[in-house]
Amino acid sequence: VMRVGSDSMSPTIEAGDLVLVARSGGDVERRDVVVVDHPDTGALLVKRAVALGGDRLGIEDGVLVVNGDPVCEPDIDPARLDGVWFGPVTVPEGEVFLLGDDRASSIDSRAFGSVPAGEVTGVVGSRLWPSPGGLPDELC
């Protein structure tokens, strides 16, 4: 169980929410919400895995594009986008690229780069408080 300390995953997960985290063992899939140590500070971060090793990603006019295909992101509030262009970059094998759902207030792989999949502490399975339940279902 972990209390989230920032709004970088809003509206999916808000600051102060309690979430249940399952150990990942480096097993991460695209769209998983994961917990990882910040590469520079060691602080725990909660972010969304948007690309895996070998994937090429960019943000084009505010739309996440992975391997040439636009990604439907129902969790993203267009009002919370900060930059409309990024990349493209290729994620090294064995690593994951992480973004916050609130792109305007998120310090994520755009700043510190992709992270080794083995350094992912766990995958967030559900929110325990204040509104118990799973994370929103994918709408795409």
Side-chain angles (χ1 to χ4, degrees), residues 81-107:
L81 295 175
D82 67 338
V84 293
W85 301 101
F86 173 82
V89 297
T90 300
V91 181
E93 289 297 331
E95 296 194 4
V96 294
F97 197 92
L98 308 173
L99 291 177
D101 285 356
D102 182 351
R103 305 268 161 86
S105 72
S106 181
I107 297 172

Side-chain angles (χ1 to χ4, degrees), residues 52-126:
L52 308 175
D55 287 341
R56 186 162 178 78
L57 81 132
I59 298 175
E60 300 174 6
D61 202 16
V63 176
L64 177 64
V65 177
V66 177
N67 299 325
D69 296 319
V71 177
C72 178
E73 295 185 287
D75 313 300
I76 304 301
D77 178 354
R80 295 175 184 231
L81 295 175
D82 67 338
V84 293
W85 301 101
F86 173 82
V89 297
T90 300
V91 181
E93 289 297 331
E95 296 194 4
V96 294
F97 197 92
L98 308 173
L99 291 177
D101 285 356
D102 182 351
R103 305 268 161 86
S105 72
S106 181
I107 297 172
D108 49 39
S109 288
R110 293 172 294 171
F112 54 72
S114 58
V115 298
E119 291 184 13
V120 172
T121 303
V123 176
V124 175
S126 62

Side-chain angles (χ1 to χ4, degrees), residues 7-71:
D7 281 326
S8 70
M9 284 300 295
S10 183
T12 307
I13 300 170
E14 304 288 344
D17 286 358
L18 286 178
V19 294
L20 183 63
V21 180
R23 297 263 180 223
S24 76
D27 213 14
V28 178
E29 297 180 18
R30 256 186 230 102
R31 295 205 34 79
D32 280 351
V33 176
V34 301
V35 177
V36 65
D37 289 331
H38 188 292
D40 298 327
T41 67
L44 287 177
L45 301 175
V46 178
K47 304 294 176 190
R48 187 175 302 278
V50 297
L52 308 175
D55 287 341
R56 186 162 178 78
L57 81 132
I59 298 175
E60 300 174 6
D61 202 16
V63 176
L64 177 64
V65 177
V66 177
N67 299 325
D69 296 319
V71 177

